[in-house]
């Protein structure tokens, strides 16, 4: 008689340490978000500011932002060792840290701004995450958050047709019931209204909410996707600028 060893359940940490899992998002979103941050901080002539890129992935978003943030100090943070290895090609200061447990390895009020790009949709406990980001920000510090829009213009049509919306996932092992090919580990999705209310309840004042296009939209529809950015509630990606109250 032979016995088989049960397969160990795949945990989220295993998932994000898998080199095949995407850890970067579109350049257009990164550039729009970097411009928002640069406008908020102003030039470094008045003094270098400390920016934490929490969930920096492979560092490509930071590389896009760096030319617009000359003179400021940009520190990348991620819990994935694999992502941090790749991030070293783009970041001077890649640091391992996470939003759960003991929290980020930074003192209270140490940061002038936090980049939180395409991270919140992956979290089990986004409330605790925003509490931790608020802790490391100085009073009046800037939060630059981006996340996919559950109510993107095409998702509204897909849901009416009984199709699982883009960005939403029902499994870490495969795509089921929706367009797309990549499993990226999304656990939570937000509409523009929900994101604004959520961030406000966490102790921030929303300054600006904009839209950005999604690099995965089929080429024939990309012009329409860019047009939808004029109204954040319809855009593929939500870009939110808030300040710690």
């Amino acid at each position: 008689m032979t016995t088989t060893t049960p397969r160990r359940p795949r945990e989220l940490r295993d998932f994000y340490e898998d080199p095949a899992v995407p850890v970067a998002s579109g350049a257009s979103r990164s550039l729009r978000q970097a411009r928002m941050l640069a406008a908020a901080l102003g030039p470094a002539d008045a003094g270098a500011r400390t920016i934490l890129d929490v969930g920096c992935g492979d560092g490509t978003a930071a590389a896009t932002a760096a030319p617009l943030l000359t003179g400021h100090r940009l520190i990348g943070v991620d819990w994935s060792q694999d992502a941090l290895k790749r991030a070293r090609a783009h970041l001077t200061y890649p640091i391992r840290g996470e939003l759960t447990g003991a929290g980020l390895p930074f003192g209270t009020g140490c940061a002038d701004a936090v980049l939180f790009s395409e991270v919140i949709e992956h979290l089990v406990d986004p409330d605790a995450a925003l509490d931790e980001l608020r802790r490391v920000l100085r009073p009046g510090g800037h939060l630059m958050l981006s996340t996919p829009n559950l109510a993107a213009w095409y998702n509204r049509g897909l849901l009416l047709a009984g199709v699982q919306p883009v960005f939403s996932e029902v499994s870490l092992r495969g795509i089921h019931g929706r367009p797309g090919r990549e499993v990226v580990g999304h656990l939570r999705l937000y509409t523009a209204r929900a994101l604004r209310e959520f961030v406000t309840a966490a102790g921030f004042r929303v300054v600006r909410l904009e839209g950005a296009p999604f690099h995965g939209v089929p080429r024939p529809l990309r012009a329409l996707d860019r047009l939808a950015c004029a109204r954040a509630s319809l855009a593929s990606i939500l870009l939110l600028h808030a300040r710690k109250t």
Side-chain angles (χ1 to χ4, degrees):
M1 178 178 179
T2 59
T3 60
T4 57
T5 303
R7 182 171 62 178
R8 181 173 66 88
R10 193 183 195 194
E11 298 178 354
L12 278 177
R13 188 176 298 276
D14 300 324
F15 179 80
Y16 290 115
E17 290 292 358
D18 184 345
V21 173
V23 291
S25 57
S28 180
R29 189 275 305 157
S30 299
L31 185 57
R32 289 180 185 226
Q33 191 174 36
R35 286 170 176 163
M36 289 174 69
L37 178 57
L41 291 180
D45 301 343
R49 305 291 182 90
T50 298
I51 305 161
L52 303 181
D53 184 0
V54 178
C56 65
D58 65 3
T60 54
T64 300
L68 301 177
L69 300 169
T70 303
H72 296 302
R73 187 181 304 108
L74 187 57
I75 300 171
V77 187
D78 208 287
W79 79 338
S80 168
Q81 296 283 19
D82 179 76
L84 288 173
K85 287 178 185 177
R86 288 180 271 173
R88 291 190 181 100
H90 305 291
L91 283 161
T92 305
Y93 307 104
I95 296 175
R96 191 178 187 283
E98 53 188 273
L99 292 162
T100 57
L104 296 171
F106 303 103
T108 299
C110 71
D112 298 286
V114 167
L115 275 170
F116 203 47
S117 307
E118 318 292 304
V119 177
I120 200 167
E121 63 272 14
H122 298 270
L123 301 180
V124 174
D125 190 352
D127 301 275
L130 284 196
D131 288 344
E132 181 63 1
L133 296 183
R134 192 172 186 278
R135 180 188 70 80
V136 299
L137 280 169
R138 65 169 177 79
H142 303 273
L143 172 66
M144 295 290 177
L145 185 157
S146 69
T147 190
N149 181 11
L150 175 60
W153 60 276
Y154 40 82
N155 277 347
R156 299 182 184 213
L158 289 173
L159 196 56
L160 283 173
V163 178
Q164 186 83 10
V166 174
F167 309 124
S168 65
E169 295 184 329
V170 300
S171 170
L172 294 180
R173 298 177 183 175
I175 298 298
H176 304 290
R178 73 159 173 84
R181 298 179 180 177
E182 293 180 329
V183 178
V184 293
H186 290 174
L187 303 179
R188 300 182 183 275
L189 290 175
Y190 300 80
T191 64
R193 177 177 176 177
L195 184 64
R196 183 185 289 273
E197 291 182 4
F198 174 61
V199 170
T200 300
F204 293 88
R205 176 178 61 85
V206 175
V207 177
R208 196 171 172 186
L209 184 61
E210 294 188 1
F214 174 47
H215 65 281
V217 168
R219 189 175 297 276
L221 298 176
R222 288 179 185 175
L224 185 56
D225 193 43
R226 288 192 296 269
L227 285 174
C229 293
R231 187 172 178 181
S233 61
L234 295 174
S236 287
I237 306 295
L238 300 172
L239 303 179
L240 181 139
H241 172 205
R243 302 194 70 170
K244 176 181 174 179
T245 55

